[in-house]
Amino acid sequence: METWAPAITAITLFVEDLAASKAFYTDVFQLPVHYEDPHSVVFRVGSTLVNLLSVAEAPGLVAPARAGTSDSDARAVLTITVDDVDAVAAGVVSRGAVLLNGPVNRPWGVRTASFRDPAGHIWEIAGEPTAAG
């Protein structure tokens, strides 16, 4: 079945500290900068652009809605599928991420581990479950 939304091409995440968020994505995710200006830094994750945008610029995109803050409760999880959840989790931790949970086999048949970026966005790495659980 064809859909009007064949792919997610970009995700914009609002950040309070652009420099700290840029460092997190370059260090923890080990991504090169795809584009940068004084208000944003863009990274490519597969075919999706992840745009880190200064929260001060958010009204231009979302008004009259308001941008949430980094200390508000989680409202979304962004998932990246990987071949080895345990190895990738160990790698992101060694580069400064703090795991919120996992790695753990989930009842729905995947193994996951989650961590938060400096602006409070939750990222999950997911893959095949392990026999050890």
Side-chain angles (χ1 to χ4, degrees):
M1 178 173 107
E2 211 159 304
T3 176
W4 67 267
I8 295 175
T9 56
I11 297 170
T12 297
L13 304 175
F14 304 134
V15 302
E16 285 79 11
D17 186 335
L18 189 58
S21 293
K22 175 186 175 183
F24 184 86
Y25 283 76
T26 56
D27 295 346
V28 173
F29 281 76
Q30 297 182 312
L31 295 170
V33 172
H34 178 75
Y35 170 83
E36 184 172 13
D37 67 26
H39 307 291
S40 66
V41 181
V42 179
F43 299 93
R44 182 176 292 283
V45 179
S47 62
T48 303
L49 297 175
V50 176
N51 177 31
L52 306 179
L53 181 67
S54 172
V55 72
E57 301 297 313
L61 291 179
V62 302
R66 295 183 317 226
T69 62
S70 63
D71 61 350
S72 60
D73 293 335
R75 298 186 308 159
V77 174
L78 303 160
T79 302
I80 298 173
T81 301
V82 300
D83 290 331
D84 184 337
V85 171
D86 293 61
V88 173
V92 298
V93 166
S94 75
R95 295 186 297 275
V98 176
L99 292 182
L100 298 172
N101 57 62
V104 61
N105 288 345
R106 300 293 185 177
W108 50 90
V110 297
R111 185 165 183 79
T112 69
S114 297
F115 56 96
R116 185 183 335 234
D117 75 7
H121 304 107
I122 309 297
W123 285 90
E124 173 185 73
I125 47 179
E128 293 295 318
T130 63

